[in-house]
Amino acid sequence: MTPATDTGSVRRLLRDPIGSTDEVIVVSDHVTVLREAVLVVAEADEDAPDHVRLLGTEGALSRACDDFLAASRAADLVEEERLSMRVSEQGHLPSLVITGGEGGDPNRQSAAGEVEDPSRHSDSGEVTTISPLPGNDAVAVRTDEADPVATIRSAFARSFSDAAEYEVGVPGYTRLLESLDVAVGPAVREDVASVMEAGVTVRSSADGVDEIDTILLVGGRNGAQLFELSEWAEDLGVASRATMSSRKRQLEAAGLLTTEKIRADVGRPRQRLLVAPEELRDSPPADLIRGARDALVDE
């Protein structure tokens, strides 16, 4: 087959090969390719592969998981055993989607009597090379020529097998939202889901709004109690109570949050979170986070 080429968004170019088979290896040192690959697998329904192996450089995997939605989706997929993520020791990797099985008779011999690589007699497969362009577009070149596909698949299957596991370090998307619903209520859960799906939250951001700020601001939009949010965050491993209190004070100092005291049945009065700027109080959740980010950047 003459290599076939295509152009389009990285996500679209990944969607076809990832959904075409039950066995997939994705290799890349490009942040966008790794992030979009996770989201494509998470969004796949009937076309979802049984399992995807994702091999990336440590820096690229870390930056891809700075996107809290991608990180939490990846955590879900790992927990469901639909995704494995590993760190390559190589400094550079091509961006490839490798499909097809790796079956075959391990004792099969060539005409010369030598044991052959079983991957050369595996199920049909393809290799798609993704070349990202400026912006979010890319060029894809796809080949299904048997020998090159088998060679590439065998090489990166070995690389993946030798690589160390990558720890995402965040709770899974499903568990995060379900636990928010129980701990704080459906309104906060729905707003957090809306913000994450809009892609406006960056994980552990030193310049802008991260997942902790998002939880507090969305809590303020719904009049949630700081105590309940902090207890939830600590139980889930998102942040300690001390971190939640410290970040709340920072948002207060920036003029984005305020609190009011409410009586508690036992102990000291608790604090109800409220969005401070009037112009942001009734904003849609994603617009609230964008407005808060702009305010923090302008400080």
Side-chain angles (χ1 to χ4, degrees), residues 240-288:
S240 67
R241 297 189 192 200
T243 298
M244 293 289 285
S245 293
S246 173
R247 197 64 67 83
K248 185 266 300 184
R249 289 193 295 271
Q250 291 176 23
L251 292 172
E252 283 181 312
L256 292 169
L257 272 184
T258 187
T259 60
E260 65 178 18
K261 291 184 178 180
I262 55 175
R263 292 183 178 275
D265 294 335
V266 178
R268 295 182 299 174
R270 295 180 179 177
Q271 293 180 328
R272 186 186 306 281
L273 299 172
L274 299 169
V275 173
E278 291 185 10
E279 66 273 16
L280 293 179
R281 287 176 187 169
D282 296 323
S283 297
D287 289 346
L288 166 63

Side-chain angles (χ1 to χ4, degrees), residues 20-212:
S20 67
T21 180
D22 287 338
E23 298 190 40
V24 180
I25 303 173
V26 179
V27 179
S28 186
D29 65 0
H30 196 282
V31 174
T32 301
V33 173
L34 294 171
R35 182 184 65 241
E36 294 297 306
V38 168
L39 296 176
V40 165
V41 177
E43 293 167 0
D45 293 321
E46 295 179 359
D47 293 332
D50 289 341
H51 188 257
V52 173
R53 288 172 282 180
L54 188 66
L55 180 67
T57 56
E58 186 168 14
L61 283 168
S62 178
R63 292 194 299 276
C65 288
D66 280 345
D67 181 312
F68 193 73
L69 175 62
S72 60
R73 288 289 197 186
D76 257 358
L77 294 168
V78 170
E79 187 174 331
E80 295 166 3
E81 298 184 348
R82 292 173 55 198
L83 177 71
S84 297
M85 303 174 70
R86 296 198 177 181
V87 181
S88 172
E89 293 184 356
Q90 298 181 44
H92 172 71
L93 292 171
S95 292
L96 306 174
V97 182
I98 307 161
T99 66
E102 296 172 35
D105 181 359
N107 298 312
R108 177 171 177 159
Q109 295 184 346
S110 68
E114 298 175 345
V115 176
E116 295 183 340
D117 182 347
S119 68
R120 292 186 175 275
H121 305 283
S122 61
D123 298 336
S124 61
E126 296 179 341
V127 173
T128 302
T129 303
I130 306 288
S131 300
L133 302 172
N136 197 38
D137 285 342
V139 176
V141 180
R142 184 178 70 255
T143 182
D144 63 359
E145 191 173 345
D147 282 352
V149 169
T151 298
I152 293 169
R153 182 193 301 122
S154 179
F156 282 107
R158 286 195 301 270
S159 294
F160 186 89
S161 179
D162 293 339
E165 291 187 9
Y166 179 77
E167 298 291 338
V168 179
V170 301
Y173 182 81
T174 302
R175 184 159 63 96
L176 183 145
L177 294 182
E178 288 178 350
S179 62
L180 257 181
D181 197 336
V182 172
V184 190
V188 174
R189 176 189 62 79
E190 290 168 7
D191 282 1
V192 169
S194 174
V195 170
M196 291 175 66
E197 294 294 341
V200 295
T201 297
V202 177
R203 179 183 171 197
S204 302
S205 173
D207 182 19
V209 178
D210 66 6
E211 69 274 16
I212 301 173

